[in-house]
Amino acid sequence: MKNNTLTGIQVTPVEKSKIDQVDFENLIFGQVFTDHMLVCDYVDGEWQRPEIIPYQSIQLDPSARVFHYGQAIFEGMKAYKDDQDDIWLFRPDENYIRFNKSSKRLAIPEFPEDYFFEGLKSIVQLEKDWAKKGRGNSLYLRPFVIATESSLVAAPSTHYKFMIICSPAKSYYAGEVRVKIAESFSRAADGGVGYAKAAGNYAAQFYPTNLAKEKGFQQIIWTDANSHEYLEEAGTMNIFFRIEDTLLTAPNNDRILDGVTRKSIIKLAEDKGINVEVRKIAVKEIVEAAENNTLKEIFGSGTAAVINPIAGFSYKEKEYNLPHVEDSYAGHLKKALMDIQYNISEDKFGWRYKI
Ligand code: COI
């Protein structure tokens, strides 16, 4: 073991990096991991010192609570390398706040701020060669916590493991996606965990999404659980609609993830003078706008996907295709966002965080 003098986090380095075996031009999202990972255990009522060790499997008892009761939450973040080889995170304070909001909702002890930021800095510095330059390249960071106590009693664990794993990434979706509006399935309900990045929120989407995929759609636009009349999220992304020159997105509530990309897009759009309405959006309104050609764009937003245009949707067995728009809001906003993330433009909102 040697001490990392920059941060005091213990680092056990790999003997030989596997970076030379990676084809960085043809990455599939989330399939390749860097040489190291950060681990930090919660025992005896407190988080122990984080340490960085070679990327490896972890061993858990089959009765570990995460396997039975899904007590697990995560975050999605990215590190971006600029042309001078400096590395940046984007609004990591927002991820930290949401990490602990999610933890609280899942009865997981909150994670200390200095461990989170020291941990991120140390692992990203160590793995900096895995972050490649160029727009669209990034090092995807996945901090997460799982309940590790061995027990089948349905109660919060007394032991947890926090980890950060890192994966070099290009784009999440291969291009435009087609989506199906949910008419019976729901992603989240009032009073539930929809706003948290709870692992189970994603598992619950797989079956309805598979049914949609069988019909040729990549994702589902989730509607409210009570009436299925209001549009809320697109698959694993927040959702935006452009009717004429107004950008619409659903307001945050119990059911909707408070997306960092979503809130940044709202700010950037307002800054560009675009009229943004954050309000309930009825399915009926979007169908009518598609029918009378005032619906110009739909796009999803998220850390992994950034901004992903949606080419069309289906509702009650009818398909609606969106026209091709020159100078799309999606294109402009994605460029503005990425220019900040890659240290190309001025950071007027103070969103960049240097590693
Ligand atoms: C992200 O956008 O970072 C997410 O957490 C979504 C995940 C399905 C990749």
Side-chain angles (χ1 to χ4, degrees):
M1 290 252 191
K2 79 170 180 59
N3 223 24
N4 177 336
T5 47
L6 280 173
T7 64
I9 289 186
Q10 292 255 292
V11 177
T12 307
V14 286
E15 278 174 17
K16 187 174 174 354
S17 172
K18 54 182 191 269
I19 196 165
D20 293 342
Q21 298 160 27
V22 176
D23 177 0
F24 281 90
E25 284 312 304
N26 296 295
L27 292 167
I28 299 174
F29 182 85
Q31 302 249 311
V32 172
F33 294 92
T34 60
D35 292 321
H36 302 90
M37 61 192 198
L38 182 132
V39 288
C40 180
D41 289 322
Y42 183 89
V43 283
D44 298 331
E46 59 187 0
W47 289 103
Q48 309 299 305
R49 290 278 319 162
E51 59 174 309
I52 294 177
I53 57 173
Y55 190 92
Q56 59 194 270
S57 304
I58 54 170
Q59 205 173 5
L60 289 180
D61 192 274
S63 70
R65 282 189 161 126
V66 65
F67 297 138
H68 305 274
Y69 306 119
Q71 201 187 5
I73 61 109
F74 71 94
E75 267 304 314
M77 310 173 68
K78 279 177 175 171
Y80 308 89
K81 187 176 267 180
D82 69 20
D83 286 341
Q84 292 74 47
D85 280 333
D86 287 326
I87 303 204
W88 304 87
L89 300 181
F90 181 72
R91 307 186 78 177
D93 43 329
E94 295 288 342
N95 296 95
Y96 175 69
I97 292 167
R98 194 173 60 187
F99 195 81
N100 279 340
K101 261 193 201 166
S102 303
S103 292
K104 190 170 177 191
R105 182 62 181 83
L106 275 279
I108 295 171
E110 290 186 13
F111 196 68
E113 187 170 359
D114 51 343
Y115 285 13
F116 188 85
F117 284 93
E118 271 190 36
L120 275 172
K121 274 193 243 171
S122 306
I123 189 96
V124 173
Q125 269 165 4
L126 190 65
E127 306 292 44
K128 62 181 184 322
D129 293 344
W130 293 78
K132 298 295 175 194
K133 280 193 254 202
R135 194 181 278 267
N137 292 322
S138 65
L139 186 60
Y140 186 79
L141 309 170
R142 175 55 66 89
F144 64 101
V145 182
I146 52 171
T148 50
E149 189 187 359
S150 311
S151 169
L152 295 183
V153 174
S157 180
T158 55
H159 292 61
Y160 297 88
K161 194 178 273 298
F162 168 93
M163 302 181 70
I164 303 177
I165 53 175
C166 316
S167 175
K170 281 185 156 324
S171 57
Y172 189 76
Y173 291 107
E176 287 184 328
V177 297
R178 299 181 55 72
V179 296
K180 187 170 176 358
I181 295 183
E183 290 162 43
S184 56
F185 289 109
S186 302
R187 175 188 169 274
D190 289 342
V193 297
Y195 68 89
K197 271 186 101 66
N201 280 347
Y202 295 78
Q205 298 191 33
F206 296 160
Y207 174 66
T209 306
N210 276 349
L211 296 182
K213 280 185 179 159
E214 281 168 17
K215 298 200 162 167
F217 301 96
Q218 286 82 22
Q219 284 290 349
I220 292 188
I221 300 191
W222 300 104
T223 47
D224 72 286
N226 298 330
S227 67
H228 295 288
E229 282 174 18
Y230 294 94
L231 296 152
E232 303 213 312
E233 287 198 35
T236 59
M237 302 180 284
N238 292 116
I239 192 159
F240 287 84
F241 300 89
R242 173 182 168 192
I243 296 184
E244 298 286 22
D245 289 335
T246 296
L247 202 54
L248 307 172
T249 193
N252 284 334
N253 56 32
D254 276 9
R255 305 180 300 272
I256 296 183
L257 191 82
D258 182 9
V260 180
T261 312
R262 171 189 173 278
K263 67 173 76 165
S264 307
I265 289 171
I266 295 172
K267 192 95 187 150
L268 287 171
E270 286 172 344
D271 190 57
K272 282 179 178 294
I274 295 171
N275 182 35
V276 182
E277 290 181 11
V278 179
R279 61 161 172 85
K280 285 172 80 173
I281 305 158
V283 179
K284 197 165 149 258
E285 179 181 358
I286 295 304
V287 168
E288 277 172 16
E291 280 168 349
N292 66 27
N293 296 322
T294 52
L295 181 64
K296 306 283 182 218
E297 293 178 62
I298 309 179
F299 55 88
S301 71
T303 299
V306 193
I307 290 182
N308 208 87
I310 291 174
F313 66 91
S314 126
Y315 182 61
K316 293 200 190 294
E317 305 303 323
K318 199 165 163 199
E319 290 196 26
Y320 301 84
N321 291 312
L322 270 71
H324 176 76
V325 181
E326 294 297 328
D327 283 336
S328 67
Y329 282 0
H332 281 295
L333 292 166
K334 186 171 180 179
K335 179 172 183 313
L337 184 67
M338 290 176 99
D339 281 353
I340 296 177
Q341 292 171 332
Y342 289 84
N343 189 28
I344 293 168
S345 66
E346 181 204 351
D347 181 19
K348 95 184 216 200
F349 303 110
W351 288 341
R352 273 197 296 263
Y353 178 94
K354 194 168 183 187
I355 287 290

